Amino acid sequence: MNKLWYLSQISIFEEMSREEIREIDQLDTIHHFNWITKNTFVQTPESTREGLYFVKEGKLRLYKLNDNGKQFTLGILTRGNIFGELNSFSFGTRGVYIETMESSLLCTMSEPQFERLMINRPQLALKFLKALSDRLKEREDQLEQLALHGLRERVLHLLSTLSAKFGVIQDGYALIDLPLSHQEIANMLGASREAVSSVMSELAKEGLVKISRLSVQLAVTILEESIPRNSTH
């Protein structure tokens, strides 16, 4: 495994030179895990992990359960994303479930290691703040959708957001590179599966989405109207 290559793929390190990344690697600040298999809990509310974690490969889902055991998805993390908790720095992941959606590769940094890295590379602090700001903005958008819009608008906004982050454009549609059942969409929106299925059927009849058992495609026209696409892969 090319450890330096993996470090360069993590978003906060992406603009650094190979020499700078090698220097960070030699500081012995980052611990690398083995692959974690699909559907494995990285964290539960009873076992909140201390430290910062970097997703090198794979996808993880963050969610909470309400009193009735209903899931509510808070976010999906993929390569380059950060999560975790320090006394001095928090990504708001305390007390949530974090589960792998596919085989994933993580690395971690303890609080003393984080502080040592910030002393040696203070410019990284701005990147951490940017990552935290992006996470908070996603949460604000999510809460606004829940509070102000009907289910159809919330479904379209969610699919647009996921398409912008995980979409692969094919023949006028963005194929969302995630296993998306109607139940999973309902979990992300705090809605019932039956209500989501009804909305998805209407959108499919209108040609705005294409759906199969575990995949969703969104019409590019909707994606372009909803939010700017920052990236696809």
Side-chain angles (χ1 to χ4, degrees):
M1 181 187 299
N2 188 331
K3 188 175 175 182
L4 297 180
W5 183 85
Y6 272 119
L7 281 181
S8 70
Q9 303 309 301
I10 296 171
S11 58
I12 64 165
F13 301 119
E14 63 188 1
E15 296 176 6
M16 305 190 84
S17 68
R18 187 174 181 83
E19 290 71 25
E20 289 174 316
I21 291 173
R22 183 178 287 109
E23 182 180 338
I24 289 172
D25 189 49
Q26 291 171 349
L27 291 173
D28 193 28
T29 56
I30 297 177
H31 172 70
H32 294 71
F33 287 101
N34 294 322
W35 284 90
I36 302 172
T37 56
K38 180 180 177 180
N39 296 330
T40 298
F41 284 109
V42 175
Q43 173 183 292
T44 68
E46 295 75 30
S47 63
T48 297
R49 290 178 175 267
E50 297 297 324
L52 290 181
Y53 290 78
F54 305 86
V55 183
K56 296 198 292 186
E57 296 287 347
K59 295 183 180 70
L60 297 92
R61 183 166 69 100
L62 281 65
Y63 66 92
K64 287 190 173 185
L65 298 179
N66 66 13
D67 293 339
N68 298 319
K70 186 177 179 60
Q71 295 183 6
F72 182 72
T73 299
L74 300 171
I76 296 173
L77 304 179
T78 188
R79 188 172 76 179
N81 288 158
I82 309 169
F83 66 94
E85 301 293 326
L86 302 174
N87 289 328
S88 58
F89 209 96
S90 170
F91 278 91
T93 52
R94 190 180 302 280
V96 306
Y97 291 90
I98 302 177
E99 184 178 4
T100 56
M101 301 178 71
E102 60 187 43
S103 293
S104 300
L105 195 59
L106 305 179
C107 59
T108 186
M109 185 186 303
S110 69
E111 184 144 20
Q113 291 168 331
F114 175 74
E115 291 174 351
R116 189 160 79 249
L117 182 58
M118 292 301 99
I119 290 171
N120 284 274
R121 290 290 174 184
Q123 73 272 27
L124 287 179
L126 293 176
K127 292 194 174 186
F128 274 99
L129 290 173
K130 173 65 165 57
L132 180 58
S133 175
D134 289 345
R135 179 72 55 79
L136 292 174
K137 181 64 165 60
E138 285 182 7
R139 294 282 178 87
E140 288 175 3
D141 288 346
Q142 196 175 28
L143 290 172
E144 180 181 337
Q145 289 295 316
L146 286 172
L148 300 179
H149 299 287
L151 185 58
R152 177 187 169 97
E153 289 75 17
R154 286 157 54 198
V155 168
L156 285 172
H157 182 270
L158 173 65
L159 296 180
S160 296
T161 301
L162 294 176
S163 295
K165 195 171 184 181
F166 305 110
V168 179
I169 304 301
Q170 297 178 347
D171 300 324
Y173 285 81
L175 172 63
I176 299 172
D177 186 22
L178 287 174
L180 270 187
S181 65
H182 288 183
Q183 183 62 62
E184 181 55 44
I185 294 172
N187 292 344
M188 294 183 186
L189 296 173
S192 70
R193 182 189 60 79
E194 293 78 9
V196 166
S197 294
S198 177
V199 169
M200 292 295 288
S201 295
E202 291 176 5
L203 295 175
K205 289 177 182 177
E206 297 170 26
L208 301 180
V209 300
K210 292 182 179 180
I211 52 179
S212 59
R213 182 171 172 268
L214 284 178
S215 70
V216 176
Q217 299 180 60
L218 179 68
V220 171
T221 52
I222 296 297
L223 180 57
E224 291 171 347
E225 290 172 5
S226 301
I227 53 176
R229 271 186 30 247
N230 295 323
S231 63
T232 58
H233 60 264

